[in-house]
């Protein structure tokens, strides 16, 4: 579903720019109700469990420090990881972009032995990296079915929809919609939903469990992402809540893990920090119900073959930007989405990217180039709630303003004539540097305001200023400026 930008994927091709998509989303009251309910619940849980720890701020600082240190010598840690995984019996592959990663995974699945129908399907653990590269679509083109096994991802797959949240991909759907979906679509993908299925969460979970069980037991190949990988031991870690990951990581004969290169940690000991930060920030739990770790292959236990695909796909370009590179510190907890007033109202689809919300607004333009996602850095009020919530202290507002400047610069460079906004700023500069000109401008504004205002407000500004007044109240300028009032009333008084 994700499209390609020089083979990179990430964004959903054909999606409207954020302002247009947001306008449509805002008109959907059911979506807004679902989002408000879900984000409020997760937000409250997160606040409760992070508030329990006296050293929460120290943990955040430690997480930030480890991530920053890792990025400074990313090449060294990655080579060390390759060595460790190879030593433990795994095979490491390097993919420069989405197209290369998809090719590698497709060839690996094809090369796996077994009956034809077994090698034409894989089970998948929820993974942002594989969504980013559009792996399911690439496998489908090669005649290989990819079955999502995370409950929310399964729902999204059955609905032929797109995920709208990093952690809760089906956050935009209600229970009744999910029930209908199971009843009508499950049979198309395998075992049908039980007769008389209700929208009781336990009944829905049981239906999914039965549907997925036969796929777990049959599949010869599993594809996963990775939350972390330790360079010193070659250990890869996946955290999850449902146990579907554990099934995928242990039952099939071959395991293929696609991991963004920024997920490497220098050492096993670093997990101590992140396994505390991640569950509390994401699901609001003290620890994840399932934390699976594996190091290469172990004879007689788990998959017989392990392949680790290290994905760049724009990350090296992001790393080269000294301000923007902090976006690579992200551990995909989604805390920034749940506190963002823009995300809460528009939902994830409006961002047109695999990565929605505040982190998507800074990561997507860097992965695909700002020219391909120019509206995203502006999809924020810059309130800073994301920065406060981020467990690894990514200064998202700083990156947003940095990217906004890049978008403006790129637009200016491509224009022969200055934009109306640039002309307005130039005119404002000329007025503001001269007290006399400012006085004239204030008097002119007061006169104009009186002519246009109704009950102290200007309804709609004329001409090019209409864009401003269409979505805001414009108060009429005061009849007397502060400077005039001061001259009349206070000038000459002793301070
Ligand atoms: S930017 Fe921070 S808060 Fe947002 S998903 Fe990443 S780690 Fe979590």
């Amino acid at each position: 579903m994700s499209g390609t930008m020089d083979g990179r994927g990430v964004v959903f091709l054909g999606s409207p720019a954020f302002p247009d998509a947001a306008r449509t989303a805002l008109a959907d009251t059911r979506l807004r109700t679902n989002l408000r309910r879900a984000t409020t619940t997760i937000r409250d849980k997160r606040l409760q469990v992070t508030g329990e720890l006296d050293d929460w701020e120290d943990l955040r600082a430690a997480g930030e420090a480890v991530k920053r240190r890792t990025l400074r010598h990313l090449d060294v840690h990655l080579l060390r990881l390759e060595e460790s995984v190879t030593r433990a019996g795994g095979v490491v592959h390097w993919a420069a972009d989405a197209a290369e990663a998809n090719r590698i995974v497709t060839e690996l699945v094809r090369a796996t032995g077994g009956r034809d129908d077994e090698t034409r399907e894989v089970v998948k653990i929820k993974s942002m990296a594989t969504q980013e590269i559009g792996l399911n679509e690439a496998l489908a083109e090669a005649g290989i079915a990819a079955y999502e096994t995370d409950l929310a991802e399964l729902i999204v797959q059955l609905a032929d929809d797109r995920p709208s949240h990093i952690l809760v991909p089906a956050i935009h759907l209600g229970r009744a919609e999910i029930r209908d979906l199971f009843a009508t679509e499950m049979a198309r993908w395998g075992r049908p939903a039980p007769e008389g299925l209700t929208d009781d969460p336990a009944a829905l979970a049981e239906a999914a469990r039965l549907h997925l069980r036969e796929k777990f037991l049959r599949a010869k190949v599993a594809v996963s992402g990775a939350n972390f990988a330790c360079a010193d031991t070659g250990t890869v870690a996946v955290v999850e809540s449902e146990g579907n990951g554990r099934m995928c990581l242990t039952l099939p004969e071959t395991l293929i893990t696609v991991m963004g290169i920024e997920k490497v940690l220098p050492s096993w000991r670093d997990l101590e920090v992140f396994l505390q930060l991640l569950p509390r920030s994401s699901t609001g739990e003290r620890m994840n119900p399932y934390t699976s770790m594996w190091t290469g292959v172990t004879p007689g236990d788990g998959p017989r073959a392990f392949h680790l695909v290290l994905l760049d796909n724009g990350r090296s370009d992001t790393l080269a930007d000294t301000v923007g590179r902090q976006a690579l510190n992200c551990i995909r907890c989604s805390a920034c989405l749940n506190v963002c007033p823009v995300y809460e109202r528009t939902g994830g689809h409006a961002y047109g990217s695999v990565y929605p919300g505040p982190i998507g607004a800074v990561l997507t333009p860097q992965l695909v180039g700002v020219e391909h996602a120019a509206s995203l850095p502006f999809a924020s009020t810059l309130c800073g709630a994301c920065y406060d919530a981020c467990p690894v202290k990514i200064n998202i507002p700083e990156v947003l303003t940095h990217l906004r400047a890049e978008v403006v610069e790129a637009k200016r460079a491509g224009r022969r004539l200055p934009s109306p906004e640039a002309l307005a700023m130039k005119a404002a500069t000329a007025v503001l540097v001269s007290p006399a000109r400012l006085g004239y401008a204030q008097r002119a504004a007061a006169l104009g305001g009186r002519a246009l205002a109704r009950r102290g407000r200007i309804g709609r500004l004329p001409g090019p200023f209409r864009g401003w007044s269409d979505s805001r109240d414009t108060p009429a300028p005061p009849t007397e400026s502060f400077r005039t009032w001061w001259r009349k009333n206070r000038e000459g008084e002793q301070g």
Side-chain angles (χ1 to χ4, degrees), residues 272-286:
E272 178 198 347
V273 174
F274 294 100
L275 291 182
Q276 294 184 73
L277 286 174
L278 182 53
R280 286 177 194 262
S281 303
S282 56
T283 48
E285 291 167 307
R286 295 184 185 97

Side-chain angles (χ1 to χ4, degrees), residues 222-455:
V223 177
S224 84
N227 290 101
F228 310 103
C230 309
D232 58 347
T233 59
T235 307
V236 182
V238 163
V239 297
E240 40 118 11
S241 302
E242 297 166 13
N244 64 301
R246 180 68 57 84
M247 304 276 261
C248 290
L249 295 167
T250 49
L251 290 175
E253 288 166 11
T254 301
L255 172 60
I256 304 167
T257 298
V258 181
M259 181 188 109
I261 51 175
E262 81 282 17
K263 294 290 177 72
V264 65
L265 294 176
S267 85
W268 163 268
R269 291 198 54 182
D270 296 321
L271 285 175
E272 178 198 347
V273 174
F274 294 100
L275 291 182
Q276 294 184 73
L277 286 174
L278 182 53
R280 286 177 194 262
S281 303
S282 56
T283 48
E285 291 167 307
R286 295 184 185 97
M287 66 181 288
N288 290 96
Y290 293 87
T291 300
S292 299
M293 298 187 196
W294 67 99
T295 307
V297 288
T298 308
D301 184 13
R304 293 207 288 270
F306 169 54
H307 296 270
L308 178 63
V309 182
L310 295 174
L311 176 72
D312 186 313
N313 207 33
R315 287 160 174 79
S316 294
D317 292 345
T318 308
L319 187 62
D321 184 321
T322 51
V323 179
R325 69 167 61 136
Q326 53 186 309
L328 295 176
N329 293 351
C330 176
I331 56 172
R332 311 277 188 267
C333 71
S334 77
C336 57
L337 276 66
N338 301 327
V339 297
C340 177
V342 176
Y343 176 87
E344 189 180 314
R345 281 154 187 84
T346 64
H349 289 163
Y351 294 78
S353 163
V354 168
Y355 300 107
I359 183 59
V362 293
L363 190 58
T364 307
Q366 296 196 85
L367 292 180
V368 300
V370 284
E371 67 279 18
H372 297 302
S375 64
L376 287 185
F378 298 88
S380 167
T381 60
L382 300 180
C383 69
C386 48
Y387 186 20
D388 288 343
C390 179
V392 286
K393 299 176 109 172
I394 298 173
N395 190 339
I396 293 178
E398 180 187 33
V399 185
L400 283 168
T401 49
H402 170 70
L403 293 175
R404 285 181 187 190
E406 275 188 19
V407 173
V408 171
E409 265 316 306
K411 278 196 183 148
R412 189 159 55 200
R415 242 194 213 119
R416 275 207 307 262
L417 294 172
S419 66
E421 192 184 357
L423 286 174
M425 287 298 161
K426 238 187 184 131
T429 309
V431 170
L432 292 171
V433 294
S434 155
R437 274 184 232 144
L438 179 61
Y440 290 134
Q442 283 170 331
R443 281 196 290 281
L447 277 174
R450 267 206 294 276
L452 293 170
R454 299 277 171 280
R455 287 198 219 105

Side-chain angles (χ1 to χ4, degrees), residues 36-55:
R36 191 176 52 246
R37 197 176 297 140
T39 52
T40 309
T41 307
I42 309 176
R43 207 162 52 214
D44 292 348
K45 275 175 79 183
R46 183 184 69 84
L47 281 176
Q48 197 187 329
V49 293
T50 55
E52 289 172 357
L53 292 184
D54 294 338
D55 62 348

